[in-house]
Amino acid sequence: MIKSIKKIAVMTSGGDAPGMNAAIRSVVRTCAYYQIECIGIYRGYQGMIEADFVTMTARSVNNIIHKGGTILKSARSKEFRTAEGRKKAHANLIKHNIDALVVIGGDGSFTGSVVFNNEYGFPAVGIPGTIDNDIYGTSHTLGYDTALNTAMDAIDKIRDTASSHNRLFFVEVMGRDAGFIALNVGVGAGAEEILIPEEDLGLERMLESLKKSKSSGKSSSIVVVAEGDKSGKNVYQLANYVEENMDEYEVRVSVLGHMQRGGSPSCFDRVLASRLGVKAVELLLEGKTNLMVGLQNNEVIATDLEKAIKGNNDIDMELLRVSDIMTT
């Protein structure tokens, strides 16, 4: 291990995701294991600028592995996007003798880390925390598995009322730029249609598919829509279009929204957070930086942080094929 690293800071940034607390816990306890001091930074980069720091010990993270959100809070910092803001942040890290940084967040948080590293050469490792699962270099981001189960549970409940009233429900899930949640939840919940940004179904094709489902004897339907889907301007326009063209259905819309980002993390996310936290600290102690830890084929790996930001996670074409078959 590199002895020059004596104090590591950990922070959460951007949108919160279930499993972030488990990752904080893992970083803090790994530092304790290697007898490295750990500092928590409140409110991400903004807290770094304001020196909102707290010393964390193994006991500081008792009873947080099961909690959603983040005990270190999160915020988006406009000031950190400026050279002056980053200069303040660096000065605070140096003043408090912090040698390295673990950043838990998504691509925006990682972009800030890369810029900071390029300017000051400050060692940093990223842990991917976002329910969208849209970070290159890992099959799963923290919070993704929990969000899937939260959304699927909600859709199961919606289906009960849909079948009771012969209704068609459009259920919008998160995914502004990626359809990973919608596709997996749609297949898992048995949706009749799945609309995602990567595949533009189109209004006419969607309507034709719903009519086919109706004629086959289905008395109710669930359409799962990623918020970034391009079939219409928004989910309400989709609902209005179907209502105008299919009198036989009562159409309803349910937007799951931020409930997908909350709640107790799944076992998978807790274990993943624990594994990634250990690896992040160990990479820093080995003198490595500007990397993101992730999961591939159930192995914890490291990916260049810039590559993680610029790379794209492709939608699973095999799962799309399965979806088409299942909606027959």
Side-chain angles (χ1 to χ4, degrees), residues 124-146:
V125 170
I127 296 177
T130 168
I131 69 167
D132 290 337
N133 204 45
D134 57 352
I135 303 294
Y136 179 82
T138 184
S139 61
H140 290 75
T141 56
L142 293 184
Y144 175 57
D145 184 72
T146 304

Side-chain angles (χ1 to χ4, degrees), residues 110 124-128 135-141 271-284 286 288-305 307-308 313:
F110 293 163
V125 170
I127 296 177
I135 303 294
Y136 179 82
T138 184
S139 61
H140 290 75
T141 56
V271 174
L272 178 62
S274 300
R275 295 177 71 186
L276 297 185
V278 170
K279 186 67 172 180
V281 171
E282 290 182 341
L283 285 172
L284 289 170
E286 291 166 7
K288 296 175 182 177
T289 184
N290 226 28
L291 297 171
M292 182 199 78
V293 290
L295 191 71
Q296 290 288 5
N297 299 318
N298 204 33
E299 294 290 330
V300 176
I301 64 165
T303 301
D304 182 85
L305 208 48
K307 190 173 181 181
N313 265 359

Side-chain angles (χ1 to χ4, degrees), residues 249-276:
Y249 272 135
E250 283 186 67
V251 183
R252 298 289 186 271
V253 171
S254 184
V255 178
L256 299 188
H258 285 77
M259 68 176 289
Q260 296 158 88
R261 290 208 329 218
S264 183
S266 65
C267 179
F268 181 91
D269 275 328
R270 297 183 200 192
V271 174
L272 178 62
S274 300
R275 295 177 71 186
L276 297 185

Side-chain angles (χ1 to χ4, degrees), residues 35-184:
Q35 298 183 325
I36 301 295
E37 192 174 349
C38 189
I39 299 296
I41 302 176
Y42 284 111
R43 296 177 295 116
Y45 290 116
Q46 191 59 37
M48 196 186 297
I49 290 170
E50 297 173 11
D52 196 357
F53 302 158
V54 61
T55 298
M56 303 187 79
T57 68
R59 302 287 74 80
S60 300
V61 290
N62 281 351
N63 301 318
I64 68 167
I65 194 171
H66 64 289
K67 293 181 178 179
T70 162
I71 62 167
L72 289 177
K73 309 296 183 183
S74 186
R76 303 184 192 278
S77 176
K78 291 183 179 179
E79 192 176 357
F80 191 79
R81 297 176 185 174
T82 67
E84 184 181 348
R86 293 190 295 273
K87 185 177 180 180
K88 287 181 187 176
H90 182 255
N92 285 330
L93 294 176
I94 299 302
K95 179 181 177 181
H96 288 81
N97 300 311
I98 294 170
D99 302 309
L101 182 65
V102 175
V103 179
I104 306 169
D107 55 2
S109 304
F110 293 163
T111 299
S113 178
V114 168
V115 172
F116 195 61
N117 184 274
N118 289 340
E119 289 178 345
Y120 295 101
F122 199 86
V125 170
I127 296 177
T130 168
I131 69 167
D132 290 337
N133 204 45
D134 57 352
I135 303 294
Y136 179 82
T138 184
S139 61
H140 290 75
T141 56
L142 293 184
Y144 175 57
D145 184 72
T146 304
L148 289 181
N149 285 285
T150 298
M152 190 171 69
D153 183 60
I155 293 170
D156 286 346
K157 290 177 171 64
I158 289 169
R159 185 176 289 282
D160 290 343
T161 190
S163 60
S164 297
H165 296 277
N166 290 348
R167 283 174 178 163
L168 166 63
F169 268 87
F170 282 88
V171 182
E172 183 185 272
V173 298
M174 282 186 163
R176 188 175 303 157
D177 302 307
F180 296 105
I181 292 177
L183 178 57
N184 282 270

Side-chain angles (χ1 to χ4, degrees), residues 227-240:
E227 62 181 318
D229 174 65
K230 306 299 192 298
S231 299
K233 291 180 180 178
N234 54 53
V235 67
Y236 295 101
Q237 187 198 43
L238 293 175
N240 289 336

Side-chain angles (χ1 to χ4, degrees), residues 170 195 200-211 229-242 244-246:
F170 282 88
L195 307 181
D200 188 359
L201 184 64
L203 292 174
E204 288 302 322
R205 189 174 148 205
M206 178 194 68
L207 189 65
E208 195 60 38
S209 179
L210 288 172
K211 286 180 177 179
D229 174 65
K230 306 299 192 298
S231 299
K233 291 180 180 178
N234 54 53
V235 67
Y236 295 101
Q237 187 198 43
L238 293 175
N240 289 336
Y241 182 80
V242 171
E244 290 169 3
N245 289 276
M246 291 187 72

